[in-house]
Amino acid sequence: MSEREKPETNDPRDERDRDWLCALLDEPALAVAVADVDAADSEAGARCEYLAVLGLLAEAHEPVEPSPGLKGRILAAAGVGEVAASAAAPVNERIRRPVRRWLLPLAATVAVAALTLSAWQSLRLSEARAVIDRQASDLAAAREVAERLARMEGENAEQRAALSLLTAAGAEFCPLRPPAASPTPEAYGALAMSADGAHWYVRVVGLEQRAGYEYRLWFLRDGEPVDVAVLPGVTGDSMEMMNGEAPEGFNSVALTLEPAGSDRPSGPRVLFGDQRMRIL
Amino acid sequence: MSPSDAAPRPRKSRLSPEEQALVGRLRAGDGDALTELYERYSGMLLGLAQRIVGNSAEAEEVLQEVFLQVWNQVERYDSTRAALSTWIVMITRSRSIDRLRSRRVAERTASAAHQENSRRHTSPRGTRDVLMDERRGRLDRELAELPAEQRRVLEMAFFDGMTQSEIAASTGTPLGTVKTRTLLAMKKLRRALAEDIGDLL
């Protein structure tokens, strides 16, 4: 060993420093040792200075530029990053830090669960909407069928009433024929009245519906109207109507084509009848 | 009354007001403080970690562990015993050597780090960087003035994480000589860098 390598043992503190330093360098975890060293203040200064020397050794090399993503990874792993500002509030970090380490995985789990639940609910909602739409469509179809049935029942009732009227004993018939100037010379029809005069029924064939006009059935006494009925529209080429009590005292019937709203027969006579026949 | 008989004196923090504030913010969980710490020391610590572990990828993993340890264990830092930078350097060194030992790359040499395609620090340089450059220059000169065997022992202990027994076995030198060389190197550096140590303390 050369002269310059001999330890300086004149000062007792040199001996203590040497022992401490040797122990420190034999300890792999220097950082832990720094925190755990417990010594008197008289030695602490020397230890700190030696530690500072060791710290300076780290600067013996050129600093190296970290890769661009390293900073972000560190901040994310520390649970700071964008929430750094909100993390500045002074709270008990010994409690908060462990929580924060679990915060990101917990938040991710909750987010995934929420997304899954939302997707499941959206699927269920979509299925429910499809069922509702299908049921609404079925209901509309059922309503349409019900309305058609009701309409058919009404027509059936009218036809039964008409048949009853036509086949009842004592019923009267009045054939309706086109006069010479009739615009529909091919048309014909008949008016039937119950024996008690409580109902009448008319059916006409060979007519055409004209826009802005309506067919009116006039009950006439000596050429003057005593009652009138506005007939429904032409279905196919025929028209029929079942009605209530027939007026008394009429001796002829005329079917005219009138402008809508007319209260007197002014249009051409389409059909006319003045003969009444009773069924025995 | 001898110094050893004196009543214990309250320990004094070895931090500048700026570093005290930084440590306080770290303890309060201020994420900006962690960012500031990273900006201040990441280049130097990555250079150290890369020097020890020998490649940049592992050095960055070490650096991530270091900053997380500082963030999570800042309460353990004792400002009366060491400067903040010294504490972080020691953590970096310890983590790097742990990784080096676990990897057991015996053939790694000091030149490996230089062969690595490392990225030199090219970010804008502030006053602090200039001061660190000056200090690094002084450190290089003082290390160069150390006898080669003392410098080698010091580097094997600090950068390679070898125990003094391992150094003795590796160099074929008696253990006592290794310890003496180490101590002498440290004392010389302590004297030569007294001004820089005063800045740190």
Side-chain angles (χ1 to χ4, degrees), chain B:
Chain B
M1 186 171 63
S2 68
S4 59
D5 294 330
R9 290 166 297 180
R11 287 175 178 168
K12 184 180 174 183
S13 172
R14 300 176 184 280
L15 301 182
S16 66
E18 181 191 1
E19 283 196 318
Q20 280 181 341
L22 182 59
V23 170
R25 287 164 55 206
L26 286 169
R27 286 179 171 155
D30 184 351
D32 288 339
L34 183 61
T35 302
E36 185 177 333
L37 193 75
Y38 178 89
E39 299 292 349
R40 184 178 292 188
Y41 294 116
S42 60
M44 183 257 286
L45 297 178
L46 188 58
L48 171 62
Q50 190 164 302
R51 166 67 177 81
I52 295 175
V53 301
N55 72 76
S56 58
E58 277 196 287
E60 290 204 345
E61 291 176 10
V62 167
L63 201 63
Q64 181 165 340
E65 293 172 2
V66 168
F67 277 101
L68 288 179
Q69 181 174 342
V70 169
W71 176 247
N72 291 317
Q73 298 181 1
V74 68
E75 286 86 358
R76 295 184 58 181
Y77 168 62
D78 183 353
S79 63
T80 65
R81 295 190 181 281
L84 180 62
S85 61
T86 305
W87 183 60
I88 299 175
V89 163
M90 290 305 151
I91 292 175
T92 305
R93 174 192 174 276
S94 179
R95 287 278 187 166
S96 301
I97 289 173
D98 285 347
R99 181 169 288 250
L100 185 66
R101 287 183 172 170
S102 68
R103 190 155 50 99
R104 297 184 184 284
V105 182
E107 67 274 15
R108 185 191 60 76
T109 62
S111 62
H114 298 291
Q115 292 168 0
E116 179 76 18
N117 184 21
S118 60
R119 302 170 295 278
R120 292 302 175 195
H121 207 286
T122 56
S123 56
R125 303 176 67 75
T127 307
R128 186 177 188 85
D129 294 320
V130 174
L131 293 175
M132 286 181 68
D133 282 348
E134 292 176 355
R135 192 157 70 195
R136 183 164 49 252
R138 287 195 295 276
L139 185 62
D140 286 343
R141 284 194 299 275
E142 297 303 332
L143 284 172
E145 288 184 5
L146 287 177
E149 60 273 17
Q150 290 182 15
R151 186 170 65 248
R152 188 174 178 217
V153 165
L154 195 60
E155 288 181 344
M156 291 173 83
F158 188 78
F159 292 114
D160 297 340
M162 297 174 72
T163 66
Q164 294 189 327
S165 301
E166 288 170 340
I167 295 171
S170 174
T171 59
T173 310
L175 178 61
T177 303
V178 171
K179 290 184 176 180
T180 302
R181 287 174 177 171
T182 306
L183 183 60
L184 286 174
M186 292 295 291
K187 281 181 174 291
K188 285 171 184 171
L189 288 177
R190 178 186 170 190
R191 289 195 196 97
L193 301 171
E195 187 178 341
D196 297 300
I197 292 171
D199 290 341
L200 286 175
L201 302 180

